[in-house]
Amino acid sequence: MARSEARPVITLRSTAGTGHAYVTRKSRRNDPDRMVLRKYDPTLGQHVLFREER
């Protein structure tokens, strides 16, 4: 299966400054701006905002 340019791999980095990151895919058509998700940061032990890195 070929990789699609419409769904690139992105890195979500913690805004808490712990350095923890998640790697996922997103749809450029549905989410053209930088993605921000509230996810679990195991270093802090709580949920924080994770922002898309480019």
Side-chain angles (χ1 to χ4, degrees), residues 21-54:
Y22 286 98
V23 177
T24 187
R25 296 180 158 276
K26 78 166 192 178
S27 172
R28 282 195 182 152
R29 187 174 302 147
N30 295 334
D31 299 311
D33 300 328
R34 288 192 188 189
M35 187 179 286
V36 178
L37 296 174
R38 189 168 180 264
K39 296 183 72 67
Y40 184 75
D41 190 335
T43 308
L44 283 179
Q46 60 187 6
H47 285 81
V48 295
L49 290 178
F50 278 73
R51 190 171 308 276
E52 177 184 342
E53 263 187 356
R54 291 193 184 178

Side-chain angles (χ1 to χ4, degrees), residues 1-2 5 11 15-16 18 20-21 23 25 27 50 54:
M1 182 180 289
E5 290 297 321
T11 303
T15 58
T18 60
H20 190 75
V23 177
R25 296 180 158 276
S27 172
F50 278 73
R54 291 193 184 178

